[in-house]
Amino acid sequence: MIDKSMHIPTLETERLILRGYRKDDFPAYAQMWATPEVVRYINGTPLTEEEAWTKFLRIAGQWPVLGYSFFAVEEKSSGRFIGETGFIEGMRDIEPSLKGIPEMGWSLSPKVHGKGYAFEAASAARDWGERHFGKRPFRCIISPENESSIKLATKLGFRELTRTTFKGKPTIMFERP
């Protein structure tokens, strides 16, 4: 059942605001997902505007259905959308299964790489997740080639759980107990 009254929390860090998506975030969202640097380790193919729109609605729609999803990440100093982080239910065809386990993720625009925003945003989302989900473990999946995301996951307290494949590509599954 969809809860249209679902309140999406707003989280603030020193330099960022994590909040629910707004329709006016979409142009920057579509631009981010059309960037080869963003998708290089995810699926390797930049998203079309139509594919980005489907992804955008999928992420936004998980809040009222599940009570969690990704947060839009806004840079306080500029007020612009710069990425996303949080938890999803991806219904992924992967072993071991992620179904029913909060899957954490993060993606930021290359325009803000190197500023420490990924750790700042993902730390706030992780802390929210600990309060929201309680003592449940979190998982994330990362391409073995994505060294910066592996470093971030480790810094966030994730540890390698197993090596597997996802959509025919080698994948590392991490868990944060």
Side-chain angles (χ1 to χ4, degrees):
M1 169 162 247
I2 296 176
D3 178 4
K4 293 181 181 177
S5 67
M6 170 68 204
H7 171 72
I8 301 170
T10 298
L11 311 176
E12 284 198 46
T13 69
E14 181 182 340
R15 303 175 296 165
L16 306 171
I17 297 171
L18 283 67
R19 56 167 174 74
Y21 285 87
R22 299 187 300 241
K23 187 177 178 187
D24 63 350
D25 292 327
F26 182 68
Y29 185 89
Q31 182 180 14
M32 181 180 82
W33 286 104
T35 306
E37 189 176 349
V38 171
V39 299
R40 176 179 28 186
Y41 301 118
I42 297 172
N43 67 5
T45 306
L47 299 184
T48 65
E49 185 177 50
E50 179 182 356
E51 291 165 334
W53 181 244
T54 299
K55 183 177 180 68
F56 183 81
L57 293 178
R58 177 184 183 197
I59 297 300
Q62 287 195 13
W63 278 107
V65 174
L66 301 174
Y68 64 93
S69 187
F70 283 165
F71 294 93
V73 179
E74 177 183 313
E75 184 180 48
K76 279 184 181 179
S77 65
S78 68
R80 66 187 168 134
F81 171 89
I82 59 165
E84 63 185 1
T85 187
F87 300 88
I88 61 164
E89 172 56 78
M91 295 297 197
R92 299 185 192 281
D93 183 15
I94 191 170
E95 288 298 326
S97 177
L98 292 169
K99 291 179 182 173
I101 299 169
E103 180 186 343
M104 190 169 189
W106 48 83
S107 296
L108 272 75
S109 169
K111 295 175 185 177
V112 298
H113 287 183
K115 295 184 175 189
Y117 284 171
F119 180 70
E120 188 174 333
S123 293
R126 176 205 57 205
D127 295 348
W128 175 86
E130 288 177 345
R131 292 187 303 274
H132 181 76
F133 296 113
K135 299 282 182 190
R136 295 171 60 192
F138 307 150
R139 290 192 181 158
C140 65
I141 56 173
I142 302 172
S143 165
E145 300 168 345
N146 191 343
E147 294 176 16
S148 60
S149 274
I150 291 170
K151 286 178 187 174
L152 178 57
T154 302
K155 196 171 178 182
L156 291 167
F158 285 88
R159 300 292 174 254
E160 185 175 323
L161 178 67
T162 190
R163 297 205 174 221
T164 185
T165 58
F166 179 61
K167 295 189 177 183
K169 296 181 180 177
T171 301
I172 305 172
M173 186 178 292
F174 292 83
E175 183 172 78
R176 187 173 193 284

